């Protein structure tokens, strides 16, 4: 479909930016296009915790003023974006979709927010997530559930469900999410968009509200692979404010968007097509692998035998780190404070009892237990050892392959309410994404088909540390040879 016949809000970020550069639209018009879309569909999609019309328009006007002054536009400048509401925004409420942070207004910007702001990005709003990014459907948000634009009776995935739904619905051209065990990739696959979890250390996490610090990464959520590469370039890099960020050069990732996979070695790990993965999902991903083979890649089966232990290991390590990170919400410094306390201890207890939702409380309890004296060795230490084995599994695979191709999630988007009574079923939806965080690796999810019910299916490409360029190249090559990314949800 020609870009000319699309509505403005349906354009990719690249197309929108090209129109801006050509003088066909103003930044104000681009911003009004997504704000108008929010007006017409948000009641049904429910992606936004906070919409920021004034701030976005002010930023857009500043971009238009630069154009009027004859200045050259920077990459991506003027193209409106949505921020997951666990990224700190100076002067703008940041809730993590939790009651405990209701009313918390950070006095500073996250580094990624600061970088994008300096690059001339209008922020259309802060979007919904599972409380503190703990979940796979946004149903754990303390405020409301976000709906999947492809089928409003279904979840958008999670925890970055607000980010992926807003992009799929045309309420933002692109978005940022965070990924601790799959929270960018799984919702990207459910909403038919592109989501990338960068290598641990690639993107500064300063100002990202911490969930599990050895796993969390911020990453781009976009309509196309090119947009993803551009947004990754804009947010990557070393940051003195985040000691885990790495001092390696940031390439221009858009240069990796060339359609050529000749001679690249791609592995297809058997364990990622095992029990629980729907036939339709497996078939779509295998077809995509065949397509890449036709295009010149060398595709071979392989095995990652430790995969089956990843989920159990994650549910020790992530809650352990969360229990420590979330200790700071005590009613003294941030957000909610109980009104029913006469002693300091009561203040802590009641604030936390009132402020945290059930999933968060459960994880704090599991994490505290796993770290407690006497159980530490049996749980936390053991989990860390298994984590090393998972990493070695990947190291072995990458001695033979440049990248691995797998499904992103075992099934397409499920119904709202379908898994809320079955926590294990819910957690199994991240079984194919969690191992990647455990090993600190980069991975991208992109559309590779639709189910018989018309729901998007995503494939995942996994690479060794700092191989984002390879992943983007393979993803771009596949995207150019397919038509999935051109489809838009009919709302
Ligand atoms: N769904 C997983 C969890 O609930 C992963 C979440 C995430 O990546 N933030 O922990």
């Amino acid at each position: 479909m020609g870009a000319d016949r699309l509505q403005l809000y349906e354009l990719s970020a690249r197309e929108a930016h090209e129109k801006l550069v050509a003088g066909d639209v103003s930044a104000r018009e681009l911003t009004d296009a997504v704000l108008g879309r929010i007006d017409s569909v948000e009641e049904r999609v429910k992606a936004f915790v906070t919409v920021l019309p004034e701030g976005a328009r002010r930023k857009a006007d500043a971009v238009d003023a630069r154009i009027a002054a004859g200045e050259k536009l920077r990459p991506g400048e003027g193209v409106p974006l949505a921020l997951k509401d666990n990224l700190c925004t100076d002067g703008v409420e940041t809730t993590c979709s939790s009651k405990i942070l209701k009313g918390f207004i950070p006095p500073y910007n996250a580094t990624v927010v600061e970088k994008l702001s300096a690059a001339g990005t209008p922020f259309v709003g802060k979007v919904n997530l599972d409380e503190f990014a703990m979940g796979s459907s946004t149903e754990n948000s303390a405020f409301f559930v976000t709906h999947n634009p492809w089928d409003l009776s279904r979840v958008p995935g999670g925890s970055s469900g607000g980010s992926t739904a807003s992009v799929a619905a045309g309420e933002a051209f692109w978005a940022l999410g965070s990924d601790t065990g799959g929270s960018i990739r799984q919702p990207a696959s459910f909403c038919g968009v592109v989501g990338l979890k960068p290598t641990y250390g690639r993107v500064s996490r300063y100002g990202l509200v911490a969930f599990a610090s050895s796993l969390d990464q911020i990453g781009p959520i976009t309509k196309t692979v090119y947009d993803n590469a551009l947004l990754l370039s804009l947010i990557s890099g070393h940051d003195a404010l985040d000691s885990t960020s790495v001092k390696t050069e940031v390439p221009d990732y858009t240069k990796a968007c060339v359609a050529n996979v000749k001679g690249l070695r791609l592995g297809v790990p058997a364990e990622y097509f095992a029990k629980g993965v729907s036939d339709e999902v497996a078939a779509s991903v295998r077809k995509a692998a065949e397509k890449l083979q036709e295009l010149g890649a060398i595709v071979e089966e392989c095995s990652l035998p430790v995969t089956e232990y990843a989920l159990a290991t994650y549910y020790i390590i992530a809650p352990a780190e969360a229990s420590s990170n979330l200790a700071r919400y005590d009613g003294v410094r941030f957000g909610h404070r109980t009104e029913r306390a006469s002693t300091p201890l009561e203040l802590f207890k009641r604030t936390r009892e009132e402020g945290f939702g059930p999933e968060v409380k459960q994880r704090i309890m599991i994490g505290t237990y796993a770290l407690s004296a006497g159980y530490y060795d049996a749980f936390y230490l053991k989990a860390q050892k298994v984590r090393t084995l998972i990493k070695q599994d990947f190291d072995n695979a990458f001695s033979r392959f440049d990248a691995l191709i797998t499904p992103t999630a075992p099934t397409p988007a499920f119904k709202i309410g379908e898994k809320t009574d079955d926590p294990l079923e819910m957690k199994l939806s991240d079984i194919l994404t969690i191992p990647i965080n455990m090993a600190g690796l980069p991975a991208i999810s992109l559309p590779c088909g639709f189910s018989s019910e018309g729901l998007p299916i995503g494939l995942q490409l996994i690479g060794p540390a700092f191989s984002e360029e390879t992943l983007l190249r393979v993803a771009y090559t596949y995207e150019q040879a397919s038509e999935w990314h051109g489809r838009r949800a009919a709302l």
Side-chain angles (χ1 to χ4, degrees):
M1 205 184 319
D4 288 346
R5 272 174 291 145
L6 293 175
Q7 300 286 335
L8 270 189
Y9 61 78
E10 291 180 293
L11 299 180
S12 68
R14 182 187 200 172
E15 290 162 344
H17 193 257
E18 278 167 3
K19 282 193 177 294
L20 191 57
V21 172
D24 294 342
V25 292
S26 63
R28 180 65 177 253
E29 282 168 320
L30 289 178
T31 298
D32 282 342
V34 284
L35 288 171
R37 184 69 174 162
I38 292 172
D39 279 343
S40 59
V41 302
E42 180 56 10
E43 214 181 318
R44 283 173 286 153
V45 177
K46 292 177 161 298
F48 285 81
V49 176
T50 309
V51 184
L52 300 166
E54 290 89 26
R57 289 198 175 104
R58 210 177 316 120
K59 193 80 187 186
D61 290 348
V63 173
D64 287 331
R66 284 191 2 98
I67 298 173
E71 286 176 56
K72 193 168 174 293
L73 282 183
R74 295 160 294 186
E77 181 169 1
V79 181
L81 174 135
L83 294 167
K84 188 173 179 177
D85 206 20
N86 59 355
L87 293 165
C88 285
T89 38
D90 189 358
V92 174
E93 192 181 25
T94 299
T95 66
C96 287
S97 293
S98 178
K99 278 194 264 179
I100 211 158
L101 278 179
K102 195 88 192 83
F104 167 58
I105 298 181
Y108 70 99
N109 278 329
T111 295
V112 290
V113 174
E114 199 61 32
K115 278 181 182 259
L116 290 177
S117 184
T121 307
F123 300 122
V124 277
K126 309 286 303 280
V127 281
N128 200 24
L129 60 149
D130 288 291
E131 183 174 0
F132 282 101
M134 297 176 189
S136 313
S137 65
T138 78
E139 290 165 298
N140 293 340
S141 165
F143 306 146
F144 48 81
V145 179
T146 299
H147 296 242
N148 190 315
W150 293 91
D151 175 348
L152 295 167
S153 70
R154 292 178 188 264
V155 303
S159 65
S160 310
S163 307
T164 57
S166 65
V167 173
E171 298 176 295
F173 288 96
W174 45 9
L176 289 185
S178 66
D179 191 314
T180 304
S183 277
I184 289 175
R185 292 158 288 155
Q186 183 258 24
S189 88
F190 280 17
C191 289
V193 296
V194 183
L196 183 140
K197 183 208 101 65
T199 307
Y200 188 77
R202 175 75 295 186
V203 177
S204 166
R205 297 174 303 164
Y206 179 71
L208 167 69
V209 178
F211 163 10
S213 306
S214 76
L215 302 161
D216 301 338
Q217 268 289 293
I218 299 167
I221 291 165
T222 58
K223 293 174 187 168
T224 66
V225 175
Y226 182 93
D227 288 357
N228 211 277
L230 174 56
L231 189 49
L232 181 64
S233 300
L234 294 176
I235 61 172
S236 289
H238 177 252
D239 179 9
L241 298 169
D242 173 3
S243 61
T244 64
S245 72
V246 173
K247 272 194 187 133
T248 52
E249 273 307 297
V250 180
D252 176 355
Y253 286 110
T254 62
K255 296 228 164 74
C257 294
V258 283
N260 179 6
V261 287
K262 289 215 176 66
L264 276 182
R265 298 158 306 161
L266 299 180
V268 184
E271 291 79 4
Y272 283 70
F273 293 81
K275 199 165 94 284
V277 176
S278 85
D279 293 343
E280 268 184 327
V281 168
S284 295
V285 175
R286 288 204 183 274
K287 227 164 145 197
E290 280 165 28
K291 183 89 208 172
L292 285 161
Q293 189 161 27
E294 274 167 38
L295 294 166
I298 302 157
V299 180
E300 276 170 36
E301 298 280 322
C302 67
S303 172
L304 292 164
V306 191
T307 304
E308 64 171 303
Y309 302 105
L311 190 70
T313 312
Y314 172 87
Y315 277 102
I316 298 291
I317 292 175
E321 295 182 10
S323 70
S324 159
N325 276 325
L326 272 56
R328 73 192 66 171
Y329 307 108
D330 53 11
V332 177
R333 282 166 299 174
F334 308 102
H336 177 72
R337 176 180 300 165
T338 185
E339 287 172 356
R340 304 182 295 131
S342 46
T343 66
L345 195 60
E346 246 174 53
L347 175 82
F348 302 156
K349 274 164 83 171
R350 295 227 163 111
T351 295
R352 288 167 72 82
E353 183 195 318
E354 293 165 5
F356 288 132
E359 180 71 25
V360 175
K361 282 181 182 156
Q362 192 194 75
R363 297 206 192 194
I364 292 173
M365 284 191 281
I366 292 174
T368 307
Y369 182 84
L371 288 176
S372 57
Y375 294 110
Y376 180 93
D377 288 2
F379 294 109
Y380 189 71
L381 193 66
K382 179 90 151 260
Q384 291 291 19
K385 289 179 179 166
V386 179
R387 186 172 183 176
T388 303
L389 297 178
I390 295 168
K391 185 175 175 301
Q392 285 170 359
D393 232 12
F394 281 113
D395 289 346
N396 290 338
F398 292 127
S399 67
R400 279 175 62 205
F401 298 106
D402 298 299
L404 304 173
I405 176 167
T406 75
T408 307
T411 65
F414 44 88
K415 293 263 187 197
I416 291 173
E418 189 181 325
K419 296 189 198 266
T420 37
D421 294 333
D422 191 340
L424 181 60
E425 266 298 305
M426 180 73 86
K427 291 180 165 75
L428 283 170
S429 64
D430 304 310
I431 194 157
L432 309 176
T433 47
I434 276 175
I436 290 84
N437 301 70
M438 300 292 275
L441 303 175
I444 188 169
S445 175
L446 69 152
C448 70
F450 284 82
S451 72
S452 52
E453 294 178 295
L455 302 169
I457 297 174
L459 73 78
Q460 173 173 245
L461 297 164
I462 311 162
F466 297 100
S467 69
E468 280 84 351
E469 287 165 289
T470 309
L471 298 184
L472 289 163
R473 181 166 131 209
V474 178
Y476 183 80
T477 307
Y478 175 74
E479 182 189 69
Q480 293 309 298
S482 65
E483 47 89 26
W484 317 117
H485 64 285
R487 297 202 196 174
R488 297 286 180 265
L491 265 166

